[in-house]
Structures are given as C-alpha cells and as structure tokens.
Amino acid sequence: MTIQSNAEQKKKGRAHIIVVGNEKGGSGKSTSAMHIVVSLLDRGNSVAIIDLDARQKSLARYIENRQAYADQHNLKLTMPDVHVLESSGGGTAQNSEEQDEVNLSALLADLQSKSDYILIDCPGSNTHLSRLAHVSADTLITPVNDSFVDIDLLAKVNSDTYQVDKLSLYSEMVWEARKMRAMKDRGTIDWIVMRNRTSSLNSKNTQRVHDVLTQLQKRVAFRYVPGFGERVIYRELFPKGLTLVDFNNNGHQKMTMSHVAARQEIRRLMDALKLPGWNKVPVAAAE
Ligand SMILES: Nc1ncnc2c1ncn2[C@@H]1O[C@H](COP(=O)(O)OP(=O)(O)OP(=O)(O)O)[C@@H](O)[C@H]1O
Ligand SMILES: [Mg+2]
C-alpha cells in the first residue's frame, strides 16, 4: 500500500474509497462505519456513503436518525451524502451480476469527483455486489469480534497449538479482490483488521485471538490495529444518529470514564487507518 499515492489521488480529485466488510454477520461493520463517517465529517471532509445492505440499511437508517434528531433539536450536524444500492436480482445470474457491476461503477464514478471519501458498508454475507465493492477499496476495514467463531472466516486455526493452518473463506475472497484490483488499475488495497467488542478483562481467549491475528497479519498482508471495546455507548446513540465524536468537551452530555475511553478508541482507530487527508484541523464539534 502506498499512502502517498492515495494522497496524490485525493489531490487529483479522486475520492478515497473505504470499504467496511466481513461476511461474518454482526461483527460491527455498521457500527464502525458510523464512527468513521462522523469522524471524517468532523474534520471537514465531504463523505458519501453507499449502504450495500439494502435489507437492514443500518448505516442509512443511522443517518436518517441523525437528520431527524438535528431537525427536532434545531442542530447543525454534519451529514454525508447517502446512497443505498440493491443487488439487481431478476434475469439470469450472469445478467444480474453484469447489472450489479454497471450500477456500482456508475454510482462510484458519479461520487468520485464530488467527495473526499466514499465509504461502502457491506452486508454480512458474500454477495456479488459486496465482492465488487472489495475490488474497488483503497482501504478495506474488517472488524472481527473477540472470538474464534469470527476468526474462522479468516483462517483455520489448529485446535491444539493455535497456529494458523490455512486461510479460509473471507481471506481468500480478499486475496482474489486484490488480484482483480491489480489487474484493473494496478491499485492496491490497504487491508485493516480491527478487533471489536474486546472485553476489559484480559482473558486467555483475548490473548489467543491477539496472537492468531498477529500471526495472520504477516501471512495475509493486513494491518492489525486496535479497535473498539465492548461499550454500551457504541450502540445507545443509534436512535439519535450521534456518536461520541459529536459531543463537545463542555457539552450537554456528561462524559463518563467509559465515554472518554471510547473517544480515545475512535481517535486511535482513525489515526491507525492512515487515510489521506486525515490530518486536517478538526472543526468544532456539534452541540
Ligand atoms: N463495540 C461495541 N460495543 C457494544 N456493542 C456493539 C459494539 N459493536 C457493535 N455492537 C452491537 O453489536 C451488534 C452488531 O453490530 P453491527 O450491526 O455494527 O454489525 P454488522 O457487522 O454491521 O452486522 P451485519 O453483518 O448484520 O450487517 C449491534 O447490536 C451493535 O449495536
Ligand atoms: Mg451492518
């Protein structure tokens, strides 16, 4: 991955594409996506989102809630440009896959020149649209829960030694996406794996998951970065469409120790992503 070349892309007016993906359902894709989008907006970036989970639409629903909350309370909250893209379905499988490709390419081409970042939230299943999105990623972010059930989609782990035996479904899919991307435009995908819902107790399981991801990052070429702990605050603001990033330091909401820690986790993640243009001066947070 060449961070510099992505920064150059941005200067030329090509949006940086962030894909949040993991075919494991419920790993924290939409939650991570919400926090990344609001963090980017907070720094004055223009952000377009594409929700590929046309059934749950968690990310798009979150932004609807944000708009409704801003309207009700007469607040000026930062907003992304929201798009939901459905699989074309119907016709033969081949026709519908071709149509998916046309639809996603057209939408990306339209948004490329209008936005600093495009964030695509993928569903928790292996759809054709999701695979296409992975090929277009400049940065791919994969949240994994602190569990070997989640790790199983990345790699098969030896039950006695906890060594990685071989890659599995999702890693192979990303491998294919990387090959296709190289053929398409010689681009590279910076793949980031972040842990989600880590427990504050340093259990044996937590340490083993950490060890396996550390082994895997060399083998599969992803960057393993710290993610989010298990905290109520990551889910309770959904109906308001807010995140901790929206709270100002002297704001109306009392910050607990857990809130402060969560804010640090979000900031640490954003820094670890090394996105082009991330070092802009923060704008004032909305009240
Ligand atoms: N760090 C966290 N702390 C507490 N709860 C969390 C955290 N991350 C996610 N959750 C909760 O876990 C559930 C699954 O999260 P989310 O919807 O973000 O996952 P997803 O990967 O997008 O799921 P899907 O595959 O269905 O799209 C939600 O109820 C969410 O509020
Ligand atoms: Mg989701």
Side-chain angles (χ1 to χ4, degrees):
M1 154 78 182
T2 50
I3 303 292
Q4 210 180 356
S5 74
N6 284 333
E8 281 162 12
Q9 283 168 1
K10 192 156 180 276
K11 263 190 245 151
K12 284 181 207 152
R14 180 193 178 282
H16 187 87
I17 301 178
I18 303 167
V19 173
V20 187
N22 184 348
E23 61 187 85
K24 179 85 185 67
S27 60
K29 296 178 286 297
S30 301
T31 303
S32 309
M34 291 165 205
H35 288 83
I36 293 167
V37 167
V38 175
S39 298
L40 289 171
L41 289 168
D42 187 58
R43 292 274 180 111
N45 294 290
S46 58
V47 183
I49 61 169
I50 306 178
D51 196 337
L52 291 188
D53 196 343
R55 190 172 156 78
Q56 296 185 23
K57 298 194 194 98
S58 304
L59 186 58
R61 293 268 309 117
Y62 168 79
I63 302 299
E64 274 173 30
N65 295 346
R66 186 173 174 84
Q67 186 63 64
Y69 186 81
D71 293 345
Q72 274 162 20
H73 296 83
N74 212 10
L75 296 175
K76 252 188 122 214
L77 291 175
T78 51
M79 291 291 166
D81 178 19
V82 182
H83 300 265
V84 177
L85 190 59
E86 287 191 47
S87 287
S88 44
T92 62
Q94 196 190 345
N95 282 348
S96 100
E97 291 196 350
E98 281 168 10
Q99 194 57 49
D100 280 345
E101 196 157 359
V102 170
N103 294 348
L104 182 63
S105 303
L107 182 55
L108 286 176
D110 181 42
L111 299 177
Q112 280 286 358
S113 55
K114 297 181 189 164
S115 334
D116 294 323
Y117 298 94
I118 300 171
L119 183 142
I120 307 179
D121 187 22
C122 294
S125 54
N126 182 359
T127 66
H128 184 245
L129 254 183
S130 174
R131 289 195 299 277
L132 290 174
H134 280 67
V135 176
S136 70
D138 296 313
T139 299
L140 168 64
I141 302 169
T142 302
V144 289
N145 279 326
D146 217 18
S147 157
F148 279 104
V149 178
D150 277 36
I151 302 293
D152 194 53
L153 279 178
L154 296 177
K156 299 289 169 210
V157 175
N158 184 292
S159 58
D160 296 321
T161 61
Y162 290 93
Q163 295 291 307
V164 172
D165 275 348
K166 62 179 181 117
L167 303 189
S168 50
L169 293 175
Y170 187 69
S171 299
E172 280 169 2
M173 193 271 261
V174 176
W175 183 249
E176 280 305 310
R178 281 177 152 158
K179 278 200 299 197
M180 286 171 74
R181 177 60 182 278
M183 283 191 293
K184 195 172 149 198
D185 61 7
R186 296 198 193 160
T188 52
I189 301 173
D190 185 20
W191 185 17
I192 287 151
V193 173
M194 60 172 272
R195 277 163 94 184
N196 187 32
R197 306 188 76 161
T198 42
S199 144
S200 51
L201 306 168
N202 195 10
S203 67
K204 209 177 247 179
N205 175 69
T206 297
Q207 184 59 42
R208 279 184 180 146
V209 170
H210 171 80
D211 292 345
V212 167
L213 287 174
T214 306
Q215 274 184 55
L216 252 183
Q217 69 173 342
K218 293 177 206 131
R219 183 142 164 207
V220 203
F222 59 66
R223 294 197 288 125
Y224 166 39
V225 306
F228 299 158
E230 168 73 37
R231 299 181 195 278
V232 176
I233 192 66
Y234 286 126
R235 43 189 144 98
E236 70 180 355
L237 294 174
F238 181 87
K240 295 180 179 167
L242 297 177
T243 69
L244 279 166
V245 179
D246 294 301
F247 295 3
N248 69 15
N249 291 327
N250 315 306
H252 53 283
Q253 185 107 6
K254 204 164 165 269
M255 296 277 280
T256 65
M257 287 298 281
S258 176
H259 294 173
V260 173
R263 237 166 58 159
Q264 280 170 353
E265 285 172 355
I266 299 166
R267 176 63 197 264
R268 192 178 54 179
L269 173 70
M270 292 305 299
D271 287 343
L273 296 181
K274 300 197 169 124
L275 297 172
W278 171 239
N279 289 324
K280 281 186 188 174
V281 180
V283 295
E287 281 181 53

